[in-house]
Amino acid sequence: MSDVIIVIGASGGIGHELVRQLSDNYPDTTIYALSRKSQSTTFADNVTCQNIRTDDEKAIHEFCQSLDAKDQKVRLAISTVGILHGEVDGLQVEPEKRLEDIDNEQLLRYFHVNSVVPTLWLKHLVDRMSDQPSQIVCFSARVGSISDNRLGGWYGYRASKAALNMLLKTAAVEYARRAKSTTLLSYHPGTVDTALSEPFQRNVKPEKLFSPEFTVSQLLSLLPELRADQSPYFMDWEHEVVTW
């Protein structure tokens, strides 16, 4: 039996950098880089790129079954899956500025990508986590904090990230029984210089606009500090607690 690492959403700016740093940090561990889009990047020899529907439960189930067939357990799984704006399966989504901007189909798309998809992975990974200290990380956002919401707006994005946090917090109760060595982390990476944040960078101070290299290194340096008996965590790039 061997332990592996999984990056879900590996073709984005943060996902790509996660794979690169993880392959450097764990050269003897198999790393699965999963994405809906084909990846042209050449990674280290311990990286296996797979083009799968990371948002489709049948594909998730089949991938997890392939781990069983290879007698592999998961030491670390990181989901970078998320949507703030842009086209998702033919639907254009944009953050709402006022109540009149709320749209039924857009809300459903926000919740599917930001809340449902990471939770499907939590569902299928629970019996496949390593008995050694292990983690599952879901990229969330500070705007998903209910207690920290003072500005309003961005209804779908805020609500779907808040839902992700609640789903993760609820799953942690079950993980504590079924995967006792596993820690669940909801992670706020800050504003990262990627396509996701590009239209909203104008008002961000230069020192608060992070490179993927920085935010990934901040996350990976946080993981050794986490304890399964204190799971789940909601933390940011500064290793500070974010209120639920």
Side-chain angles (χ1 to χ4, degrees):
M1 183 176 295
S2 60
D3 287 350
V4 301
I5 294 172
I6 301 171
V7 177
I8 304 156
S11 62
I14 293 176
H16 180 278
E17 181 60 23
L18 273 166
V19 174
R20 190 191 69 79
Q21 290 194 31
L22 286 166
S23 63
D24 287 343
N25 294 353
Y26 302 96
D28 298 323
T29 300
T30 296
I31 297 169
Y32 290 104
L34 310 180
S35 66
R36 293 176 50 171
K37 299 177 181 178
S38 298
Q39 301 179 66
S40 57
T41 305
T42 301
F43 291 110
D45 292 341
N46 61 324
V47 176
T48 298
C49 294
Q50 287 190 218
N51 181 212
I52 72 168
R53 283 294 302 258
T54 53
D55 60 344
D56 177 77
E57 186 166 13
K58 183 174 182 290
I60 295 170
H61 177 61
E62 289 175 351
F63 171 77
C64 289
Q65 283 187 318
S66 73
L67 298 179
D68 298 338
K70 299 170 189 171
D71 202 21
Q72 293 175 330
K73 292 289 187 179
V74 179
R75 176 195 303 181
L76 172 63
I78 303 177
S79 171
T80 70
V81 174
I83 181 70
L84 173 57
H85 67 92
E87 185 177 314
V88 187
D89 295 333
L91 179 70
Q92 192 71 25
V93 267
E94 294 292 338
E96 310 91 342
K97 296 181 179 179
R98 57 181 188 161
L99 283 165
E100 286 80 0
D101 295 334
I102 293 175
D103 174 79
N104 180 67
E105 291 301 317
Q106 176 168 287
L107 275 179
L108 291 174
R109 204 60 53 91
Y110 269 127
F111 276 97
H112 176 71
V113 176
N114 292 340
S115 315
V116 175
V117 172
T119 309
L120 290 175
W121 281 95
L122 288 172
K123 169 185 173 179
H124 288 278
L125 288 173
V126 65
D127 293 324
R128 295 177 167 95
M129 299 305 295
S130 173
D131 292 333
Q132 301 300 313
S134 55
Q135 297 98 18
I136 298 177
V137 180
C138 294
F139 271 62
S140 185
R142 191 183 303 278
V143 297
S145 166
I146 293 175
S147 60
D148 193 47
N149 183 359
R150 297 176 180 85
L151 296 177
W154 291 26
Y155 288 89
Y157 188 73
R158 284 184 184 276
S160 60
K161 289 297 188 179
L164 169 62
N165 292 343
M166 177 58 82
L167 288 161
L168 188 143
K169 203 171 195 307
T170 305
V173 177
E174 197 163 343
Y175 266 76
R177 298 194 302 267
R178 299 174 59 183
K180 295 182 179 181
S181 299
T182 301
T183 302
L184 303 186
L185 168 64
S186 185
Y187 181 65
H188 169 61
T191 303
V192 186
D193 189 11
T194 63
L196 182 115
S197 70
E198 187 175 1
F200 312 100
Q201 293 177 7
R202 183 175 56 185
N203 297 322
V204 178
K205 296 178 180 178
E207 67 271 17
K208 293 294 186 180
L209 181 61
F210 306 134
S211 67
E213 292 84 356
F214 174 79
T215 200
V216 167
S217 65
Q218 288 297 102
L219 169 59
L220 297 186
S221 66
L222 169 64
L223 296 182
E225 302 176 12
L226 307 182
R227 293 175 46 181
D229 62 355
Q230 295 182 5
S231 177
Y233 292 84
F234 185 12
M235 302 188 74
D236 68 10
W237 59 275
E238 291 186 291
H239 300 189
E240 296 293 333
V241 171
V242 182
T243 58
W244 297 99

